[in-house]
Amino acid sequence: MEYYSWVLAFHVMSVISWMAMLFYLPRLFIYHVEHKENGKVFTDVIEIQERKLYEFIGVPAFWATLLSGIVLIILNPALFISGMWLHIKLTALLFLIGYHFSLNMIRKRLMKDKCTMSGKKLRFYNEVPTIIMIIVVIMVIIKPI
């Protein structure tokens, strides 16, 4: 248990990095979709930002979050009997993982100019990680059930 606090600190930092990507990448998609008429130069720059954000921040932060979370559970398996809060958090995490991979699919469609999502739809889609984050934070901090 002496390493638990260190792993937890790393986990929180990883989650923050991952969430930063999950919050900002859809915003880049909105710029991409709504400013296509500004020319290829603009979309080329946005595509570079999208790729770097996803591949160099999002993917490593995702794996760091996932692996450190698994280590936390291994170090403290009693978490599973501490209430339903962890099960709800892990269920929310599954949705967040699906959202993470859906962003890559949207990114690839945008690169091929095959994305049919409007800026308005992307704005709604951009709220998904916020809703999931609220659920996770309440479960972790309040542990209501």
Side-chain angles (χ1 to χ4, degrees), residues 73 80 85-95 97 136:
I73 291 171
F80 274 112
W85 69 270
L86 181 66
H87 299 83
I88 294 169
K89 176 193 171 192
L90 293 175
T91 301
L93 174 66
L94 291 176
F95 284 103
I97 291 170
V136 169

